[in-house]
């Protein structure tokens, strides 16, 4: 099967999560983050001074993030989650008439924001094995390309970009005088990021997904200092700085990174086993795409039903899933398994009850003459 970049069946994720599903589920297998952490698991000095902090982020946090890459703090800008980091890159590097290449399915921001800045977006799909179709990206590249956007590991496919394809995208950026924007929200080891030592690659990540602290709204971008400077100016004009309280709590998260990752591996390992068994039991209805170190998996829906329709029926049973239409695909759904085994098992049990389209009732209209 091939995921194409068609936009014919878009459904805004914002509408699905904050309007349709709000308050209607007790099991969340839709959001793509590790089970959320708790405030009582973190510590902060009682005498912390709640001033403005720093527009680029407090120094200890920038140094901690730089340490993840093995780089320097002047390559780091702390942001309001990865979402703001991505937006700042678009705002800093794009101008009217410039062109963006993005992969689809993916995060809708990459094809929604650039047009608002006067730029054109070329959407390319994935190869049949869900690897990045770099040849398709190269085919649409031209001298006006300013940004190439790739998410690795990919949301929603769960697949990492292969090293040869990553190298090809870096080369493409260099040939066209563009930048490669890597959304590495789900990457576990940022020391191997292509942004390290490159003046053409920008990496974005946060504490939301792998660490399970989306409520802190702490993300970052790591890249060439000149790009960081341009983004920092735009951040100052919008939010000035982050919450110094949240940034201090973020320092505590990264100080205990090993413990958080251990919990992540334990929980996702148990959850993925349950999803694999679910897919085996329902092989006539779904096909699992084996994820590569992500807290979620992509499942092809092979019943002929639209994913959004099936996910709506699952929502009626109190389970939140993420229909492919919210991520630029119309033939599957994303399921997060970074939850307690009990929650995953119960959620999958409910999904199994709505996985296949309901059978129309038999026609009970009386036959004339009987």
């Amino acid at each position: 099967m091939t995921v194409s970049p068609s936009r014919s069946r878009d459904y805004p994720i914002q509408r699905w999560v904050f309007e349709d599903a709000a308050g209607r589920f007790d099991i969340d297998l839709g959001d793509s983050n590790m089970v959320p952490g708790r405030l009582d698991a973190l510590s902060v000095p009682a005498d912390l001074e709640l001033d403005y902090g720093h527009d680029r982020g407090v120094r200890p946090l920038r140094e901690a993030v730089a340490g993840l890459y093995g780089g320097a703090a002047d390559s780091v800008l702390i942001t309001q989650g990865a979402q703001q980091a991505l937006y700042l890159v678009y705002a800093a590097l794009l101008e009217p008439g410039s062109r963006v290449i993005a992969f689809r399915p993916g995060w809708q921001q990459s094809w929604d924001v650039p047009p608002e800045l006067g730029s054109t977006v070329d959407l390319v799909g994935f190869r049949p094995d869900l690897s990045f179709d770099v040849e398709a990206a190269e085919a649409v590249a031209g001298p006006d390309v300013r940004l190439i956007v790739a998410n690795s590991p990919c949301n929603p496919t769960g697949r990492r970009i292969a090293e040869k394809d990553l190298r090809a995208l870096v080369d493409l950026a260099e040939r066209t005088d563009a930048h490669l924007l890597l959304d590495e929200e789900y990457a576990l080891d940022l020391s191997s990021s292509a942004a390290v030592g490159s003046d053409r690659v920008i990496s974005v990540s946060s504490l939301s997904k792998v660490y399970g602290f989306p409520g802190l709204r702490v993300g970052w971008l790591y890249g060439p200092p000149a790009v960081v400077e341009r983004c920092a100016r735009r951040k100052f004009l919008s939010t000035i700085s982050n919450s110094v309280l949240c940034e201090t709590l973020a320092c505590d998260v990264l100080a205990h990174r090993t413990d958080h990752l251990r919990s992540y591996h334990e929980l996702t390992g148990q959850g993925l086993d349950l999803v694999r068994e679910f897919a085996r039991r329902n092989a006539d209805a779904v096909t699992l795409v084996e994820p590569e170190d992500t807290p979620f998996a992509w499942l092809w829906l092979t019943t002929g039903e639209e994913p959004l329709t099936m996910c709506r029926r699952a929502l009626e049973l109190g389970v939140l899933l993420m229909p492919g239409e919210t991520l630029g695909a119309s033939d599957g759904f994303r399921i997060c398994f970074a939850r307690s085994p009990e929650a995953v098992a119960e959620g999958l049990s409910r999904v199994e009850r709505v996985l296949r389209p309901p059978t129309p009732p038999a026609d009970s209209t009386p036959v004339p003459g009987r």
Side-chain angles (χ1 to χ4, degrees):
M1 300 181 184
T2 303
V3 177
S4 72
S6 170
R7 302 186 61 175
S8 60
R9 296 183 179 180
D10 276 0
Y11 196 88
I13 194 170
Q14 180 180 11
R15 178 178 173 185
W16 172 248
V17 174
F18 295 114
E19 296 180 25
D20 294 3
R24 297 183 57 196
F25 60 90
D26 62 295
I27 295 181
D28 177 7
L29 304 183
D31 287 330
S32 59
N33 54 280
M34 171 74 167
V35 61
R38 294 167 52 97
L39 182 59
D40 59 8
L42 304 177
S43 61
V44 63
D47 61 350
L48 176 67
E49 190 173 90
L50 298 178
D51 60 9
Y52 273 103
H54 195 285
D55 61 341
R56 296 190 181 210
V58 295
R59 186 77 189 187
L61 181 56
R62 281 187 289 140
E63 290 177 345
V65 170
L68 299 178
Y69 294 87
D74 63 355
S75 292
V76 176
L77 176 66
I78 305 301
T79 61
Q80 298 276 347
Q83 181 90 330
Q84 187 190 39
L86 293 165
Y87 188 90
L88 291 172
V89 173
Y90 297 135
L93 298 184
L94 299 180
E95 57 188 24
S98 58
R99 188 172 295 274
V100 176
I101 299 174
F103 291 87
R104 182 185 173 96
W107 189 239
Q108 72 179 67
Q109 184 193 37
S110 65
W111 54 77
D112 282 353
V113 171
E116 296 187 2
L117 300 173
S119 297
T120 301
V121 181
D122 287 309
L123 294 171
V124 296
F126 293 84
R127 302 183 185 115
D129 64 354
L130 290 183
S131 59
F132 287 72
D133 193 344
V134 176
E135 294 79 12
E138 292 174 333
V140 298
D144 52 353
V145 172
R146 289 294 169 265
L147 205 56
I148 303 164
V149 185
N151 175 210
S152 178
C154 176
N155 174 18
T157 70
R159 302 292 302 279
R160 288 194 299 267
I161 187 168
E163 185 60 34
K164 63 179 179 60
D165 291 332
L166 179 58
R167 185 67 251 170
L169 288 181
V170 174
D171 290 343
L172 179 60
E174 291 173 348
R175 290 199 310 271
T176 57
D177 197 27
H179 283 86
L180 173 61
L181 174 56
L182 287 178
D183 180 349
E184 299 187 290
E185 183 80 77
Y186 303 96
L188 301 180
D189 180 11
L190 292 170
S191 68
S192 59
S193 172
V196 178
S198 173
D199 63 355
R200 285 290 156 191
V201 184
I202 305 155
S203 172
V204 165
S205 193
S206 81
L207 298 183
S208 297
K209 306 300 185 181
V210 171
Y211 297 93
F213 289 96
L216 290 181
R217 306 311 303 136
V218 171
W220 60 80
L221 64 89
Y222 178 95
V227 173
V228 171
E229 172 64 28
R230 294 171 68 176
C231 292
R233 289 201 303 270
R234 285 159 178 80
K235 178 192 172 186
F236 179 81
L237 293 173
S238 57
T239 59
I240 299 180
S241 61
N242 286 28
S243 159
V244 68
L245 174 60
C246 290
E247 290 193 354
T248 303
L249 290 168
C251 289
D252 186 75
V253 173
L254 291 180
H256 297 89
R257 178 174 182 270
T258 301
D259 295 333
H260 291 299
L261 291 183
R262 185 184 302 113
S263 298
Y264 174 86
H265 285 300
E266 179 180 351
L267 208 57
T268 55
Q270 294 171 338
L272 181 54
D273 284 344
L274 292 168
V275 171
R276 286 170 176 153
E277 179 55 35
F278 166 82
R280 282 193 291 268
R281 288 197 311 269
N282 299 280
D284 64 318
V286 296
T287 301
L288 172 67
V289 175
E290 190 69 20
E292 296 180 306
D293 293 326
T294 53
F296 58 82
W298 177 256
L299 289 142
W300 298 109
L301 183 62
T302 57
T303 62
E305 186 175 24
E306 292 187 348
L308 182 59
T309 302
M310 187 278 289
C311 290
R312 281 173 171 155
R313 294 194 294 111
L315 189 61
E316 291 175 0
L317 296 184
V319 181
L320 177 67
L321 300 172
M322 196 57 61
E325 290 91 338
T326 64
L327 296 158
S330 59
D331 41 15
F333 61 98
R334 190 190 72 196
I335 189 164
C336 181
F337 47 81
R339 304 289 184 264
S340 72
E342 296 77 17
V344 175
E346 174 60 24
L348 291 175
S349 175
R350 298 184 198 177
V351 173
E352 202 160 2
R353 288 154 54 188
V354 300
L355 193 55
R356 296 160 187 82
T359 303
D363 189 357
S364 58
T365 304
V367 178
R370 292 188 181 179

